[in-house]
Amino acid sequence: MARKPGAARSAGEGRVIRYSTIKARLYPTPEQAELFEKTFGCCRYIWNRMLADQQRFYSETGAHFIPTPAKYKNGAPFLREVDNQALIQEHNRLTQAFRQFFRSPEHFGHPAFKRRKDGRNSFTACNHEFESGPTIYITRDGIRMTKAGIVRAVFPRRPRNGWKLKRITVEKTPTGKYHCCILYEYTVKEPVPVEPSADRTLGLKYSMGHFYVGDDGRPADPPRWLSQSREKLVRLQRQLNRMVPGSRNYQEAVQKYRLLHEHIANQRKDFIHKESRRIANAWDAVCVREDDLRDLAGIAVQENPAGIGFGAFRECLRYKLAHQGKQLLVVDRYFPSTRLCGQCGRVSAEGISPKLRTWVCPACGARLSREVNAAQNIKAQGLAQYAGKSA
């Protein structure tokens, strides 16, 4: 079963098992790159064959059954050229996809066939310990993998002492770069729970004009260089629209477009991780509202929250706070944080337009900042919910 980086489970005796991922850049030789491409294709092939046979078996018998990859190797000898673990993981992924679909079909769609033009090139292999040594391990300047041998790699950081390598996922980006995500398992002392207090708790309101606004009135804006990169993206898109598709200049511009998209995604991740780490270290608890990002994206205002990374920011806050025994207090998405007056407690019958920065309470006449007032209400509601559960 897949493990999320940052997830934890009990290991007994006051210790917990955690998982962490190190993402490294790979520089394969032409032969290794060819093997990776074959593995990508074999994973698509085995997924589609297993899915097609499952559908045929279900239509004929009414029962659910997924064949194993070993069934197809005699008819497709090229499957023996790649790491068998990559094929086994495709079977596990398809099994998990059907398990989620059967459990909650309204949230998880039916598994679909994979196509080459989808651009999803990746495979996963698990590490196994034998008397001769592990099947996957890192060296000073590379990583050893089955079939491929030692692939040159650049690591942003190294695993700590006691970390156990569990599996590796190799992926190729649309810009032609190879990366690997190495999952490690380790045990740490269970963090001491931190009790939230009003003066050590931060309330956050997702903002369209900013990234978020805190209950103390402090807004956070995405860095200036992120906006500059988006402006470059707009100019490049206009150039692409004026070019002849398929021409040499068009192909070069498409590569620049993909590289810029990748650069923006990296800038966004950098901002999200640094900001969530700063908050997790500075506060004992954080209160947020469980906003539906699809609803927020439908509001025609300055930015698209899904593009900014609200969901990723909330997830980063959750696990970084949990690692320190702190909590992310989530308020119900229907809580009227914006329409509730923080001075008198009156809920305005009319909605507050997202374009308004301030509004006046019709009951007490207080002039309230729309986003700061909402952040303060979210904080008060989050602490009240926590107190109710603890009582």
Side-chain angles (χ1 to χ4, degrees):
M1 186 177 68
R3 294 283 181 185
K4 288 185 178 181
R9 57 190 178 93
S10 176
E13 298 181 357
R15 301 184 68 85
V16 294
I17 298 176
R18 284 184 181 166
Y19 298 87
S20 184
T21 300
I22 296 178
K23 186 174 183 179
R25 174 77 183 276
L26 296 179
Y27 295 91
T29 63
E31 294 76 15
Q32 292 170 337
E34 182 181 359
L35 177 62
F36 288 164
E37 295 297 331
K38 286 183 180 179
T39 309
F40 298 148
C42 289
C43 288
R44 283 194 300 268
Y45 173 84
I46 203 72
W47 173 284
N48 292 337
R49 287 296 303 274
M50 290 187 299
L51 181 57
D53 288 347
Q54 186 277 337
Q55 292 180 349
R56 180 180 57 83
F57 188 84
Y58 184 80
S59 63
E60 294 176 356
T61 65
H64 170 70
F65 172 73
I66 302 177
T68 61
K71 173 186 175 182
Y72 306 97
K73 290 187 177 181
N74 291 333
F78 55 86
L79 294 177
R80 303 181 188 275
E81 300 178 9
V82 302
D83 186 3
N84 184 55
Q85 279 296 313
L87 306 181
I88 293 176
Q89 289 304 312
E90 288 299 308
H91 181 271
N92 294 341
R93 286 181 178 178
L94 185 59
T95 303
Q96 179 67 11
F98 271 108
R99 187 179 297 116
Q100 292 176 336
F101 171 71
F102 292 144
R103 184 187 302 118
S104 180
E106 65 275 7
H107 294 98
F108 298 95
H110 189 279
F113 291 98
K114 294 183 178 181
R115 301 177 297 178
R116 181 189 296 270
K117 65 180 182 180
D118 291 339
R120 300 174 183 174
N121 294 320
S122 68
F123 68 87
T124 301
C126 290
N127 182 31
H128 294 280
E129 298 281 350
F130 296 104
E131 293 182 0
S132 58
T135 57
I136 303 173
Y137 58 86
I138 64 173
T139 63
R140 184 176 62 86
D141 55 357
I143 181 167
R144 191 271 179 189
M145 291 182 282
T146 306
K147 299 281 188 178
I150 298 179
V151 184
R152 191 166 71 89
V154 175
F155 301 94
R157 60 191 178 103
R158 291 280 177 166
R160 297 182 180 180
N161 187 28
W163 286 23
K164 183 178 179 181
L165 196 156
K166 300 297 292 183
R167 67 169 181 261
I168 180 175
T169 298
V170 177
E171 60 182 8
K172 181 182 179 182
T173 66
T175 58
K177 300 176 183 178
Y178 291 93
H179 296 272
C180 69
C181 297
I182 312 169
L183 181 68
Y184 287 94
E185 178 186 273
Y186 58 97
T187 61
V188 294
K189 291 183 179 180
E190 189 171 1
V192 179
V194 179
E195 290 293 326
S197 60
D199 58 335
R200 296 287 301 162
T201 299
L202 176 67
L204 296 183
K205 170 69 173 69
Y206 294 140
S207 171
M208 295 296 183
H210 308 280
F211 187 68
Y212 69 78
V213 175
D215 66 278
D216 54 358
R218 176 186 175 275
D221 296 311
R224 177 176 53 85
W225 35 258
L226 185 57
S227 300
Q228 293 174 345
S229 297
R230 287 175 177 169
E231 292 173 359
K232 293 180 182 178
L233 191 66
V234 172
R235 292 195 297 267
L236 188 55
Q237 180 66 58
R238 290 172 181 170
Q239 295 175 10
L240 277 172
N241 292 336
R242 293 193 295 266
M243 293 181 179
V244 179
S247 64
R248 181 177 177 180
N249 289 339
Y250 181 84
Q251 296 298 333
E252 291 178 355
V254 167
Q255 180 66 5
K256 291 180 181 179
Y257 184 76
R258 291 172 176 171
L259 286 170
L260 187 54
H261 256 298
E262 186 179 86
H263 181 62
I264 292 174
N266 292 334
Q267 288 179 321
R268 185 186 304 115
K269 291 177 183 177
D270 180 76
F271 167 71
I272 288 174
H273 279 287
K274 287 181 178 178
E275 189 66 18
S276 59
R277 171 55 62 193
R278 185 192 65 80
I279 293 176
N281 291 344
W283 300 90
D284 291 345
V286 179
C287 301
V288 296
R289 195 174 69 171
E290 194 176 12
D291 293 316
D292 191 329
L293 300 182
R294 291 173 296 182
D295 292 345
L296 292 177
I299 302 176
V301 289
Q302 297 179 1
E303 296 286 357
N304 182 353
I308 294 176
F310 281 166
F313 177 71
R314 189 165 56 194
E315 181 63 19
C316 287
L317 268 180
R318 181 197 62 77
Y319 79 80
K320 288 176 181 177
L321 287 167
H323 282 185
Q324 303 180 48
K326 302 174 183 179
Q327 298 192 46
L328 179 68
L329 306 177
V330 181
V331 176
D332 186 78
R333 55 178 292 198
Y334 297 109
F335 174 68
S337 60
T338 305
R339 297 185 294 113
L340 177 63
C341 176
Q343 302 294 327
C344 65
R346 169 80 176 271
V347 178
S348 176
E350 299 180 358
I352 310 299
S353 173
K355 297 181 180 180
L356 292 179
R357 293 185 177 272
T358 61
W359 63 286
V360 178
C361 176
C364 64
R367 178 171 292 275
L368 305 169
S369 170
R370 178 182 178 276
E371 293 175 332
V372 175
N373 175 70
Q376 293 172 350
N377 292 333
I378 290 173
K379 173 182 175 179
Q381 179 67 12
L383 290 174
Q385 288 181 184
Y386 177 80
K389 291 180 181 180
S390 302

